[in-house]
Amino acid sequence: MTEATTGTKTGAGLDAPPRLPVDRLLDDPGTRIIVCCGAGGVGKTTTAAALGVRAAERGRKVVVLTIDPARRLAQSMGIDSLDNTPRRVKGVKGVDGADGGELHAMMLDMKRTFDEIVEGHTDAERAEAILANPFYQSLSAGFAGTQEYMAMEKLGQLRARDDWDLIVVDTPPSRSALDFLDAPKRLGSFLDGKFIRVLMAPAKVGGRAGMKFLNVGMSLMTGTLSKLMGASLLKDVQTFVAAMDTMFGGFRTRADATFRLLQAPGTAFLVVAAPEPDALREAAYFVERLAAEKMPLAGLVLNRVHGSGADQLSAERALAAAENLEEGGIVDQESGNAGLRDSAAEAETADAGAAGADAAGADVDEITAGLLRLHAERMQVIAREQRTRDRFTSLHPEVAVAEVAALPGDVHDLAGLRAIGERLAAGVPAGA
């Protein structure tokens, strides 16, 4: 759908990855679904929200679906709370001469989505019986894979309504892509005709033999169902199956349809990661799994990348200068070192903020040496992140990358989300 911008050389001499053209992706009317996936704690929710804000302010009609239980998304968008109903976000405005679009946000309510399926595919009397059934209540509230299945179900519902021209999905905080991509299939298989036949068999066998047969079947299920013990278990299961027997095939059908939707043109996956070894190993796995499933990958969003406005001063030179100052030596003995003090001042501005305000009256050389050491630490962090990114790039040189500079604090409002969106669009960390 979009073409990445060709990169240059990295510090290690490798070809830099192509740059991810975020604005081109958001502006393309053919882009209808963006799925942000990745390991937990890498900034998927913030990335999804920032993409939603930027797309809306560039004229798209957007809904952001988050599965993260945290309330940060609602707070940053100025909404008291998010629930299973899309809510309009106020304060969206046009940028770059574009008419402002619309932004809605919602948080997946797993059980409520399951209830909506029941209510929408059976009559009122049968729906009431199903919703009150203890077996159903346990299944809908905590069965393994239910959250991922309901995320896919809700995505399918939103797409079918056609009220928005862009849906941004913040996937569950799963460790592995297997959870998001496979759980709907697993739950769909669980809720198919074979499942019905297994659970209906005890009623046909009857008596103790029937209960023994049921216990064998129950041993295959999760700990959630094991809580439903006692004489009422068989009756609850049989009542549940009898009420839902016409619906089971629909779960598998809808899961398959949504899976195909994720593979179709108009969908774009963004893998979100931090510049850390574990996170990028997970990202590499996501990239490989998405390719195996023929899912359209747009690129990698590398969050919380550090940069410096004084990167011409290396860590080694900064440490050497600091040692000279602390030992009373002469800093600028050699040609080319005359600018070290000026570079230290630049490093102070870029990396140390207002540190100088607290050091009034202190010895200038001592302050400068401290700032040089702070700058050296920052440059070492930058070098470590670069090496980590280069390892990922060497494995997946075709994957487009947008690097997002680390912010000094948390994002808590629309202005913060706009700042993240600008960094996403720029694709490189500030000062790099």
Side-chain angles (χ1 to χ4, degrees):
M1 284 187 315
T2 61
E3 294 183 0
T5 303
T6 303
T8 57
K9 294 285 185 180
T10 67
L14 300 172
D15 285 335
R19 184 177 299 178
L20 176 64
V22 171
D23 281 346
R24 198 186 311 170
L25 179 69
L26 296 178
D27 293 345
D28 184 355
T31 304
R32 302 300 303 275
I33 298 172
I34 295 177
V35 182
C36 297
C37 58
V42 296
K44 291 193 307 293
T45 301
T46 301
T47 298
L51 289 169
V53 170
R54 190 164 183 87
E57 295 193 331
R58 295 175 70 86
R60 303 294 297 272
K61 190 174 182 181
V62 187
V63 59
V64 176
L65 168 63
T66 181
I67 293 89
D68 191 335
R71 303 295 172 180
R72 289 169 292 136
L73 178 62
Q75 294 168 354
S76 65
M77 292 185 170
I79 300 175
D80 292 336
S81 63
L82 291 179
D83 54 24
N84 218 39
T85 302
R87 298 185 180 277
R88 179 80 177 266
V89 177
K90 299 179 181 179
V92 172
K93 55 188 179 182
V95 295
D96 297 333
D99 294 331
E102 293 182 15
L103 178 62
H104 296 74
M106 62 182 296
M107 183 178 293
L108 178 73
D109 184 328
M110 180 177 65
K111 187 178 187 309
R112 182 58 201 150
T113 299
F114 211 148
D115 292 349
E116 289 173 355
I117 297 172
V118 172
E119 292 167 349
H121 293 83
T122 188
D123 58 75
E125 182 178 353
R126 183 173 294 187
E128 184 178 356
I130 294 171
L131 297 180
N133 185 277
F135 186 92
Y136 168 79
Q137 291 174 356
S138 179
L139 177 69
S140 62
F143 191 82
T146 303
Q147 184 182 53
E148 287 81 2
Y149 178 92
M150 292 306 154
M152 299 274 271
E153 180 77 33
K154 181 57 69 175
L155 171 59
Q157 291 177 4
L158 292 171
R159 186 67 181 86
R161 287 171 58 179
D162 208 28
D163 290 338
W164 300 274
D165 57 33
L166 178 61
I167 303 168
V168 182
V169 183
D170 165 34
T171 57
S174 306
R175 179 190 176 277
S176 170
L178 286 170
D179 293 334
F180 181 63
L181 297 178
D182 287 351
K185 288 183 178 180
R186 290 199 304 269
L187 190 62
S189 298
F190 182 71
L191 298 174
D192 65 9
K194 294 179 182 178
F195 174 66
I196 297 174
R197 288 193 295 272
V198 168
L199 292 184
M200 288 303 290
K204 296 177 181 179
V205 176
R208 292 185 177 181
M211 183 59 72
K212 182 178 180 180
F213 183 87
L214 179 64
N215 287 337
V216 173
M218 288 298 110
S219 67
L220 302 176
M221 301 182 187
T222 66
T224 302
L225 300 183
S226 67
K227 297 177 182 179
L228 297 173
M229 301 298 291
S232 63
L233 173 59
L234 179 58
K235 182 180 178 181
D236 289 340
V237 173
Q238 289 176 319
T239 302
F240 168 76
V241 171
M244 290 192 68
D245 60 355
T246 60
M247 293 180 56
F248 284 109
F251 286 97
R252 183 67 175 269
T253 300
R254 286 192 300 277
D256 291 344
T258 305
F259 196 84
R260 290 193 298 271
L261 178 64
L262 293 176
Q263 295 174 315
T267 298
F269 279 82
L270 290 176
V271 177
V272 184
E276 301 165 358
D278 288 346
L280 278 172
R281 274 194 294 270
E282 284 293 320
Y285 174 77
F286 270 75
V287 168
E288 292 160 8
R289 180 62 201 278
L290 291 170
E293 296 288 354
K294 296 181 172 58
M295 299 289 179
L297 174 65
L300 172 74
V301 173
L302 198 58
N303 267 333
R304 304 166 189 159
V305 177
H306 292 87
S308 173
D311 56 2
Q312 73 278 8
L313 177 60
S314 68
E316 292 77 10
R317 292 180 66 207
L319 287 174
E323 290 174 2
N324 281 338
L325 285 170
E326 290 167 344
E327 295 172 2
I330 300 174
V331 176
D332 51 354
Q333 292 181 20
E334 300 178 6
S335 175
N337 287 346
L340 280 177
R341 288 179 185 269
D342 291 338
S343 294
E346 292 179 19
E348 174 184 0
T349 301
D351 302 324
D358 298 326
D363 181 79
V364 174
D365 284 353
E366 183 178 349
I367 297 171
T368 303
L371 292 173
L372 285 165
R373 289 189 179 279
L374 284 175
H375 176 70
E377 290 177 6
R378 169 61 65 89
M379 295 304 295
Q380 288 167 349
V381 169
I382 293 171
R384 184 167 61 249
E385 291 179 352
Q386 181 67 54
R387 289 193 299 270
T388 303
R389 193 203 74 176
D390 286 347
R391 282 195 291 271
F392 175 89
T393 300
S394 67
L395 293 172
H396 301 284
E398 78 287 352
V399 177
V401 178
E403 297 188 7
V404 182
L407 294 179
D410 292 334
V411 175
H412 55 80
D413 54 18
L414 281 177
L417 291 175
R418 287 191 189 100
I420 292 292
E422 290 171 0
R423 285 165 169 76
L424 276 165
V428 292

